[in-house]
Amino acid sequence: MPTEIPLADLDLRRHVRAGDTVLWGQGCAEPRPLVERLLADRADIGPFRCFLGIPAADTVRPEHTDVVSFVSYCGTGANRELIRAGRLDILPGHYSTLPQLFASDEFRIDVLLLLVPPPDPDGTFRYGLAQEYLTAALARARVVIAEVNELVPRVECGGRLDPDRIDVVVPTRRPPVEMPSRPPAQIDLAIARRVAELVPDGATLQVGLGSLPSAILAQLANHRDLGVHSGLVTDAVVDLMSAGVVTGRRKTVDRGKVVTGLLMGTERLFRAAGHDPAFQLRETTYTHDPEVLAAQHRFVAVNSALQVDLTGQINAEEVGGEYVGAVGGAVDFLRGARRSLGGVPVVALPATSRGTSRIVVQLSGPVSTARSDACVVVTEHGVADLRGLTLDQRRERMLAIAAPEHRPALAESLRASASPARSGTTRAGGR
């Protein structure tokens, strides 16, 4: 059985060793009191490493890197401050590979910090606000410390935490970190209306985080019997459930359930998930499983991008030499939607950013999604379905959804770069 220690008496120097790698839940699942104590004790512990997910708070700051090194799969939110200070190393890769990585010796997790609700009557714990890759880390961590928070909801999840697997519990009563969505801009609404037209009644949705995904969900208010299977869900899903739009009745897998890896929103979302058994937290190996996604009929995956080139290559990671995004789970979901009966793989983005075209001849960052994973690209100017199209056909479609003021320059740049290889006649590569 775990040892119960009040937060005021917690001494993490007894549990974390120099050279350890520490992991905690990302976003709203961050056990903030434990992380604050860990960073406060860093000098006495000695050099150690922390893996960061999407931050919902600014708990981690550049000054902490005097002792601690930080690694993350993403450059969003407060992680950008670390990146700009040159203090965050990026682990590039598909989000779906993190569980296998954490369960192996390639990137072994030594100490796991969890945020969980009080135990169920049988003494077991639920995962709280996130399950995702925490299950894999739990299997290998040497030490597991749990913040048992009375204000965290008991959400249905895939499996329970055996109390014998937890070494220390720290009781608290502190509201979890919230992540409210930003109000959508007019351009978000324009894109959202076009995406909504691609979503059939009875579809199962995957959406990401931010003002544009929230705007897209808001545009689905007149749809019927939608389902949700996503890496994360936000308050916007609660709105659609309350309106009777999200019912899950037509899902072919997990019918009637809202399946997600983590909850990223406000107390309203937390409260709804704790009271409605339709919500179900699952591990990443399930939420991103290619067979599960492909088996879901009419699976519509909606993801974002920083840039898309005229042939359909997608950069979702880096712009202006700065890492601001992630490889994430986009490829997993887009491929799942391509394989799904009636599915639609969507990448949505504004056509410009600060006067610069985001539809480009050549990406200024890495290829996060290859053009072989052709999808439906949406901007405020139109929809380009690249599936089944040749390279020249794709260029024509993509030029049509670029901002009108940038189309002549894009066309001229394309002509200037024309070569035999551009026409796709090269024999490199296998069949």
Side-chain angles (χ1 to χ4, degrees):
M1 295 297 291
T3 301
E4 182 174 310
I5 301 176
L7 181 61
D9 297 333
L10 179 64
D11 183 359
L12 288 177
R13 295 172 298 181
R14 299 180 57 187
H15 307 285
V16 183
R17 304 170 183 168
D20 276 351
T21 295
V22 184
L23 172 74
W24 56 82
Q26 63 179 329
C28 303
E30 176 187 333
R32 195 170 184 183
L34 301 184
V35 177
E36 290 172 341
R37 181 59 56 87
L38 173 71
L39 297 174
D41 291 344
R42 66 189 186 279
D44 294 325
I45 295 171
F48 61 94
R49 180 174 67 168
C50 294
F51 183 88
L52 307 176
I54 299 172
D58 61 350
T59 315
V60 174
R61 297 182 296 277
E63 57 261 34
H64 297 136
T65 60
D66 57 350
V67 173
V68 188
S69 60
F70 294 102
V71 181
S72 181
Y73 71 89
C74 65
T76 57
N79 284 355
R80 291 188 186 181
E81 188 176 355
L82 292 173
I83 288 175
R84 288 166 183 160
R87 298 296 187 175
L88 181 65
D89 202 3
I90 295 295
L91 181 68
H94 300 296
Y95 181 81
S96 58
T97 64
L98 292 178
Q100 181 180 0
L101 199 62
F102 295 157
S104 71
D105 289 327
E106 296 175 14
F107 199 100
R108 182 162 183 163
I109 303 301
D110 301 293
V111 180
L112 177 63
L113 307 180
L114 293 173
L115 172 65
V116 300
D120 282 2
D122 64 359
T124 61
F125 292 89
R126 306 191 193 198
Y127 278 89
L129 302 177
Q131 184 168 357
E132 46 163 0
Y133 49 62
L134 299 177
T135 302
L138 181 77
R140 291 299 297 270
R142 184 188 73 248
V143 177
V144 179
I145 303 173
E147 175 194 352
V148 180
N149 191 326
E150 293 181 13
L151 300 183
V152 171
R154 290 187 177 93
V155 184
E156 292 295 325
C157 56
R160 297 286 194 272
L161 293 169
D162 189 320
D164 290 337
R165 187 64 189 89
I166 300 174
D167 299 287
V168 177
V169 298
V170 181
T172 70
R173 183 179 173 82
R174 180 172 174 174
V177 181
E178 295 183 280
M179 289 189 71
S181 296
R182 299 188 310 272
Q186 286 301 312
I187 195 169
D188 293 330
L189 297 175
I191 298 169
R193 285 190 286 269
R194 293 189 181 276
V195 173
E197 293 175 356
L198 301 172
V199 180
D201 287 339
T204 294
L205 300 170
Q206 173 269 323
V207 295
L209 184 67
S211 59
L212 178 54
S214 294
I216 291 169
L217 291 174
Q219 289 296 315
L220 300 174
N222 294 321
H223 281 59
R224 293 177 293 179
D225 289 334
L226 298 180
V228 174
H229 182 109
S230 189
L232 60 88
V233 296
T234 64
D235 287 30
V237 171
V238 180
D239 296 333
L240 292 180
M241 295 177 73
S242 299
V245 175
V246 167
T247 64
R249 291 194 191 107
R250 300 196 210 174
K251 290 181 74 175
T252 45
V253 181
D254 299 309
R255 182 162 295 176
K257 299 292 185 182
V258 172
V259 174
T260 184
L262 65 157
L263 306 174
M264 299 279 264
T266 69
E267 194 272 337
R268 180 167 178 260
L269 171 63
F270 308 155
R271 184 175 62 251
H275 287 87
D276 190 341
F279 282 91
Q280 187 171 78
L281 291 171
R282 294 298 300 267
E283 61 277 13
T284 303
T285 52
Y286 186 79
T287 58
H288 291 62
D289 185 290
E291 299 301 325
V292 173
L293 300 178
Q296 195 72 260
H297 292 184
R298 294 185 174 181
F299 182 59
V300 180
V302 182
N303 290 271
S304 59
L306 298 172
Q307 295 175 319
V308 183
D309 79 7
L310 296 180
T311 68
Q313 295 185 124
I314 297 167
N315 168 22
E317 300 172 70
E318 195 174 298
V319 64
E322 185 174 311
Y323 204 94
V324 297
V327 177
V331 172
D332 301 299
F333 290 125
L334 292 173
R335 287 178 176 173
R338 280 295 303 269
R339 293 177 59 197
S340 163
L341 181 64
V344 187
V346 178
V347 169
L349 74 163
T352 63
S353 175
R354 299 179 181 178
T356 302
S357 180
R358 294 173 68 170
I359 307 301
V360 296
V361 174
Q362 184 172 0
L363 301 179
S364 64
V367 178
S368 310
T369 301
R371 64 190 184 188
S372 53
D373 290 306
C375 58
V376 181
V377 184
V378 181
T379 73
E380 68 272 27
H381 299 291
V383 176
D385 189 343
L386 305 183
R387 295 173 293 181
L389 299 187
T390 66
L391 293 177
D392 282 341
Q393 289 172 329
R394 293 181 184 201
R395 293 180 180 106
E396 183 179 344
R397 294 280 181 92
M398 290 300 296
L399 280 171
I401 67 168
E405 65 270 25
H406 291 292
R407 291 173 194 169
L410 288 169
E412 178 59 31
S413 180
L414 184 61
R415 283 192 293 271
S417 63
S419 67
R422 200 209 104 200
S423 65
T425 57
T426 177
R427 295 184 180 274
R431 293 188 177 183

